[in-house]
Amino acid sequence: MRIILELPEDIAAHLASKGENLSRAALEALAVEAYRAQKLSTAQLRRLLGFHTKVQVHAFLKERGVYLNYTQDDLEHDRRAGDAFAG
């Protein structure tokens, strides 16, 4: 799906004055808010933003002050995986 944003020229110029890619910035802002609202998983966020690893996603979220959506089930899964690795 393609989404088109209409911005006044002066505002677009101001936002892009430091060489920022406005299309990428809008995509990242949308992705972060969708993740915060738990509408996107980490895997979906990775695909949407074109990252190759989960670590890249985690770094991206950390740079933006976003906490990981880490559930009790995730913790239990990681604990079992660690136990299997150690045993």
Side-chain angles (χ1 to χ4, degrees), residues 37-71:
Q38 298 184 351
K39 294 180 180 179
L40 288 179
S41 68
T42 303
Q44 290 170 319
L45 192 62
R46 182 183 55 77
R47 281 183 41 225
L48 179 63
L49 297 175
F51 293 133
H52 298 289
T53 67
K54 190 168 34 172
V55 173
Q56 290 174 302
V57 174
H58 293 180
F60 169 81
L61 292 170
K62 183 178 179 181
E63 288 171 4
R64 285 149 185 83
V66 178
Y67 293 104
L68 294 177
N69 296 332
Y70 195 75
T71 66

Side-chain angles (χ1 to χ4, degrees), residues 5-52:
L5 299 174
E6 300 271 338
L7 299 174
E9 285 297 320
D10 61 320
I11 294 174
H14 178 73
L15 291 172
S17 65
K18 292 185 167 70
E20 186 173 20
N21 178 331
L22 293 184
S23 294
R24 179 66 184 191
L27 177 64
E28 289 178 0
L30 175 69
V32 165
E33 290 310 312
Y35 183 81
R36 280 187 175 135
Q38 298 184 351
K39 294 180 180 179
L40 288 179
S41 68
T42 303
Q44 290 170 319
L45 192 62
R46 182 183 55 77
R47 281 183 41 225
L48 179 63
L49 297 175
F51 293 133
H52 298 289

